[in-house]
Amino acid sequence: MAILEVEHIIKNFDRTEVLKDISFSLEKGQALSIIGSSGSGKTTLLRCLNFLETPDGGAIRVNGETLFDSADKQTRQESKIRMKRLHFGLVFQSFNLFPQYTALGNVMLAQELLAKNEPDYKARKKEILARIEENSKELLDEMGLSDRMGNYPHQLSGGQCQRVAIARALALRPDILCFDEPTSALDPELTGEVLRVIRELAEHQTTMIIVTHEMAFARDVANQVIFMDDGYILEQGTPDQVFLNPTQERTKQFLSHYQNG
């Protein structure tokens, strides 16, 4: 069974249709690359999956659980959105780290906030915080940042900030890790740092959705690829199907631009 099922998602901003009947599924342990020109709806789709935006129609299911269904008003309750977001970890293109916290503090923060909801938090606070700190240090060590845990974001390079952001996204053990153009704010050298981390996650069969303009990376790391244009999914298939044998003329034009650029 698919870990993620997206059915007929629609999203409008005022009179502008941004997402138009988006449907796809994703198997556990697979990586999905989403490509397309700027303004095609890629980021809005990720924001809908993470409930930073509420779809106007359609349904979203994770592990068979309905997180959103436009026909069911109960799935729109604001009080439940925070818990729904735990299914997804989102890595933003501009890091979105809190400048007043160290690298370690940024990774610990969401875990600490969630732990406060545990019924025995006050009685076990010291033990719980020690566990959170240990988990966060392990994640930063996996990101190659064991010597940067006490640094603040302004003391880190862009690539290091993005690796902190990845560690933060992994900290709550999401079902699906989402990347929104994770290298767009980085120079080529730092881009390589972040792409190496994502490749390693793919090798460990982390379920991922990656919005990217890095075509070679999208083809190499993904199990399936979606090409979006003007709010629609125009092409969907394996990397070889989409990159080597696209069926839509618009897909061919888009890929030709990157191949010739």
Side-chain angles (χ1 to χ4, degrees), residues 22-220:
I22 299 294
S23 297
F24 66 92
S25 63
L26 181 63
E27 299 293 324
K28 183 177 177 60
Q30 288 194 339
L32 166 66
S33 290
I34 302 179
I35 62 174
S37 58
S38 297
S40 60
K42 305 184 302 296
T43 292
T44 299
L45 174 57
L46 283 192
R47 291 178 65 85
C48 285
L49 292 179
N50 284 272
F51 296 96
L52 297 174
E53 302 286 353
T54 302
D56 294 306
I60 300 170
R61 286 189 289 273
V62 174
N63 288 323
E65 176 189 354
T66 299
L67 303 187
F68 175 82
D69 187 337
S70 58
D72 184 353
K73 292 182 179 180
Q74 290 189 347
T75 65
R76 292 172 174 259
Q77 294 179 11
E78 288 286 333
S79 59
K80 296 181 179 180
I81 285 179
R82 179 178 292 183
M83 297 306 295
K84 292 176 182 179
R85 285 180 182 148
L86 295 179
H87 291 283
F88 300 90
L90 180 58
V91 180
F92 299 89
Q93 54 184 296
S94 55
F95 325 133
N96 282 26
L97 299 179
F98 292 100
Q100 69 272 35
Y101 291 97
T102 63
L104 181 60
N106 267 280
V107 179
M108 291 180 62
L109 183 59
Q111 299 173 81
E112 291 175 354
L113 293 174
L114 192 63
K116 289 180 180 179
N117 294 323
E118 296 181 17
D120 58 349
Y121 175 75
K122 289 185 178 179
R124 298 178 53 238
K125 181 177 178 180
K126 188 174 181 180
E127 175 191 343
I128 290 171
L129 291 180
R131 185 189 70 223
I132 290 172
E133 181 175 352
E134 180 182 4
N135 179 56
S136 301
K137 286 181 175 179
E138 287 178 357
L139 286 167
L140 286 169
D141 185 53
E142 290 174 10
M143 295 296 123
L145 296 170
S146 57
D147 59 341
R148 295 287 188 172
M149 296 185 190
N151 289 111
Y152 291 87
H154 74 273
Q155 298 172 313
L156 301 172
S157 70
Q160 290 168 337
C161 283
Q162 197 61 296
R163 282 184 279 155
V164 173
I166 294 172
R168 180 180 62 182
L170 288 167
L172 297 179
R173 303 184 186 281
D175 293 296
I176 302 160
L177 190 58
C178 301
F179 294 88
D180 183 14
E181 298 185 19
T183 62
S184 64
L186 305 178
D187 63 36
E189 182 178 358
L190 299 180
T191 292
E193 289 181 19
V194 174
L195 294 185
R196 279 194 295 274
V197 171
I198 300 175
R199 288 180 195 277
E200 290 173 2
L201 291 170
E203 290 171 0
H204 287 89
Q205 294 189 310
T206 303
T207 308
M208 296 186 290
I209 299 174
I210 308 159
V211 169
T212 182
H213 286 293
E214 301 283 340
M215 293 300 110
F217 174 74
R219 178 180 173 183
D220 185 46

